[in-house]
Amino acid sequence: MKIQQVLSALERFAPLPLQESWDNAGLQIGLTEAEVSGALLCLDVTEKVIDEALRKGCNLVVSHHPLLFRGLKQVADLNDVQRTVRHAIKNDICVISMHTNLDNALGGVNWKIAERLGADNIRSGSNPAHGNSSTEKAPWVLATLSSPMSAEAFIQLVKERFNVACAHCNELLQRPIRTVAICGGAGDFVLDDAIKQKADAFITGEMHYHQYFGHEQEIQICVIGHYESEQFTTEVLRDIILRDCPEVKCYLAETITNPIKYY
């Protein structure tokens, strides 16, 4: 099994045209004609992640966030990206990233968040009545909880399912929560649409301070952290590879790459 076959499987699920214009998804580093010795799946690519890949005998790293996001002027050791690029190349590690194309794909990042929440009836928030095709962007989802719950119980559920010590929320909603809008990562652009779709609550990874104002008793905002919201994206990557390339050994990265520490 060659790396190209894994790359093709990933891009069939999340075609590159689904990525945003500012993004850089797809092949980052390496030669795709090499045989796959194993695939390490991660959220971010760091030097420690490359070390983990080497320990586990993997010559392929598949990440959600691109390693090469902005153009490199040089490849030296002036910053963490340059050092990670050099480390990967020196050890013949191929790096592939599935970013906003996976965010926008049917069954992608936001479906996984809804699944982890235990919600069902998951549908594209952009077109909830008709769903979407594999080539239509679905940057957020609407999902339905199995039974209505209070805002306090809902926030506690989110914290438990995503191992979050503290969530950023507006005041507690005084009506039951049943329909939830979800957008992993930096999803504050969804808030107004979520309100228009009459969602009771909105889960995202990060949101600007001023957007919390003015929505009291309109929608329950629950912001859990960028890393925390997307931490299970590796499971999406694993399922794609195991379905289409079952002979490839897949490992979920154990290296915690969240740069934000809570004290």
Side-chain angles (χ1 to χ4, degrees):
M1 177 67 67
K2 294 186 176 181
I3 289 173
Q4 180 59 52
Q5 292 169 273
V6 177
L7 176 60
S8 296
L10 291 166
E11 291 185 0
R12 280 195 300 273
F13 183 91
L16 291 183
L18 288 180
Q19 73 178 311
E20 301 299 329
S21 59
W22 44 263
D23 200 8
N24 185 40
L27 178 66
Q28 307 276 294
I29 295 172
L31 304 177
T32 59
E33 288 305 305
E35 297 286 331
V36 185
S37 62
L40 181 68
L41 314 177
C42 60
L43 193 62
D44 310 284
V45 188
T46 65
E47 290 179 273
K48 290 183 178 179
V49 168
I50 299 298
D51 287 337
E52 183 179 347
L54 291 170
R55 288 196 305 272
K56 292 179 174 172
C58 299
N59 64 349
L60 173 61
V61 170
V62 183
S63 70
H64 180 43
H65 296 143
L67 172 60
L68 300 177
F69 193 70
R70 298 175 179 86
L72 292 178
K73 299 293 186 180
Q74 57 181 292
V75 181
D77 64 351
L78 299 181
N79 56 49
D80 58 330
V81 174
Q82 291 185 19
R83 289 189 292 270
T84 303
V85 168
R86 292 181 68 248
H87 196 23
I89 292 173
K90 284 171 64 177
N91 290 283
D92 291 322
I93 303 291
C94 186
V95 178
I96 294 169
S97 300
M98 296 283 111
H99 191 211
T100 53
N101 54 322
L102 193 61
D103 288 328
N104 291 329
L106 185 70
V109 174
N110 297 312
W111 269 259
K112 176 56 68 173
I113 296 171
E115 176 188 308
R116 278 281 174 169
L117 189 63
D120 53 24
N121 188 24
I122 308 166
R123 63 272 191 201
S124 167
S126 303
N127 192 359
H130 303 99
N132 67 293
S133 70
S134 62
T135 57
E136 182 182 348
K137 290 183 180 180
W140 62 287
V141 300
L142 284 167
T144 306
L145 299 176
S146 57
S147 59
M149 60 178 60
S150 69
E152 188 172 9
F154 170 76
I155 292 168
Q156 186 59 37
L157 174 67
V158 173
K159 289 170 62 177
E160 290 173 358
R161 294 292 170 89
F162 293 89
N163 193 27
V164 174
C166 178
H168 291 186
C169 306
N170 58 346
E171 72 173 27
L172 294 179
L173 196 68
Q174 296 304 309
R175 68 172 189 270
I177 292 174
R178 185 71 186 272
T179 302
V180 183
I182 298 170
C183 183
D188 55 12
F189 66 95
V190 167
L191 180 61
D192 289 343
D193 286 333
I195 293 168
K196 289 177 184 176
Q197 295 284 4
K198 301 188 184 307
D200 300 309
F202 174 48
I203 299 174
T204 191
E206 55 181 292
M207 205 170 84
H208 286 87
Y209 170 79
H210 291 285
Q211 289 183 284
Y212 288 83
F213 285 98
H215 302 296
E216 297 80 10
Q217 301 310 313
E218 187 173 41
I219 192 168
Q220 181 65 65
I221 296 169
C222 188
V223 179
I224 62 176
H226 197 122
Y227 179 93
E228 289 80 0
S229 70
E230 295 183 332
Q231 62 186 298
F232 301 114
T233 300
T234 53
E235 296 180 4
V236 180
L237 298 170
R238 177 198 61 195
D239 293 347
I240 297 167
I241 296 172
L242 292 182
R243 183 191 66 198
D244 292 358
C245 309
E247 52 268 69
V248 173
K249 293 180 181 178
C250 288
Y251 303 89
L252 303 184
E254 298 175 75
T255 303
I256 304 299
T257 58
N258 190 0
I260 299 173
K261 308 302 178 186
Y262 301 94
Y263 298 105

